[in-house]
């Protein structure tokens, strides 16, 4: 499931067929989609896709390696640094962590705020609007060293800021690695 539809592995087109644990939504209405920034913040945010256009966009080009053993070379992700979103929300002085949740409500990944601030909330891939199959309308793309494929949360719907880690809600690694059995 880490390999989005349309990627190739060893030159062979590879569609997503393992939908057991984090299914690709049939459709996502970009007009109705919102991103919420909640929790230990001064101002909770509810941002539409159109509202994200008011933030400065950056492009990050990097290879994407999955625990399943495949690599997608030179992907150009374009989006908003999560630090820009967090700055607007104003995390409390005690806030040190955040949970990024997918719109399915089940897939989530916890990060230290410092790590998450450097990540990109991608809205484009290779110069095109981010397709649903690749996590559109918005996908978290961690950019720091030591990142793992399960940290790249697709269909992001919430960033919940907190003072402590979110171990009980952090399902991403377990979900991703369950496919390797």
């Amino acid at each position: 499931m880490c390999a989005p539809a349309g990627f190739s592995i060893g030159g062979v087109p590879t569609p997503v067929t393992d939908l057991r644990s984090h299914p690709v939504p049939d459709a996502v209405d970009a007009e109705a989609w919102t991103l919420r920034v909640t929790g230990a913040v001064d101002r909770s945010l509810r941002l539409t896709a159109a509202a994200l256009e008011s933030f400065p966009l950056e492009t990050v080009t990097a290879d994407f390696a999955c625990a399943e053993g495949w690599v997608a070379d030179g992907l150009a992700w374009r989006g908003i640094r999560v630090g820009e979103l967090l700055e607007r929300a104003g995390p409390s002085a005690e806030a040190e962590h955040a949970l990024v949740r997918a719109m399915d409500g089940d897939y989530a990944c916890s990060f230290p705020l410092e790590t998450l601030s450097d990540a990109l909330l991608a809205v484009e891939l290779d110069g095109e609007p981010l397709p649903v199959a690749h996590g559109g309308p918005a996908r978290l793309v961690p950019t720091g060293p030591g990142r793992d494929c399960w940290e790249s949360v697709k269909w992001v719907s919430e960033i919940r800021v907190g003072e402590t880690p979110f171990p009980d809600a952090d399902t991403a690694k377990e979900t991703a690695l369950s496919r390797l059995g």
Side-chain angles (χ1 to χ4, degrees):
M1 179 63 180
C2 283
F7 276 93
S8 64
I9 300 172
V12 177
T14 306
V16 174
T17 55
D18 180 5
L19 304 179
R20 292 174 289 137
S21 52
H22 193 194
V24 176
D26 291 332
V28 175
D29 181 356
E31 297 295 320
W33 174 86
T34 59
L35 169 66
R36 294 174 299 134
V37 182
T38 63
V41 295
D42 294 336
R43 294 167 299 284
S44 291
L45 304 178
R46 188 176 194 96
L47 301 166
T48 63
L52 289 179
E53 294 174 9
S54 70
F55 288 87
L57 296 177
E58 294 184 36
T59 300
V60 172
T61 302
D63 297 344
F64 186 90
C66 185
E68 292 177 339
W70 58 267
V71 177
D73 296 320
L75 298 177
W77 302 98
R78 187 160 171 79
I80 301 102
R81 286 281 175 191
V82 175
E84 295 279 337
L85 299 169
L86 294 172
E87 186 177 308
R88 188 169 293 180
S92 71
E94 297 80 21
E96 294 184 11
H97 298 274
L99 183 74
V100 178
R101 189 176 299 281
M103 62 186 258
D104 68 2
D106 293 327
Y107 193 93
C109 195
S110 184
F111 296 90
L113 276 184
E114 184 177 322
T115 300
L116 184 60
S117 292
D118 288 336
L120 196 70
L121 184 68
V123 295
E124 294 179 9
L125 175 60
D126 293 331
E128 299 291 329
L130 188 63
V132 171
H134 294 283
R139 175 180 183 155
L140 184 72
V141 179
T143 58
R147 63 191 183 269
D148 291 302
C149 68
W150 57 80
E151 295 174 331
S152 184
V153 179
K154 299 176 185 174
W155 317 294
V156 173
S157 65
E158 181 183 20
I159 298 171
R160 181 163 192 76
V161 177
E163 297 174 8
T164 59
F166 294 84
D168 292 343
D170 189 341
T171 61
K173 182 176 181 178
E174 180 181 334
T175 300
L177 295 182
S178 71
R179 295 186 299 269
L180 298 178

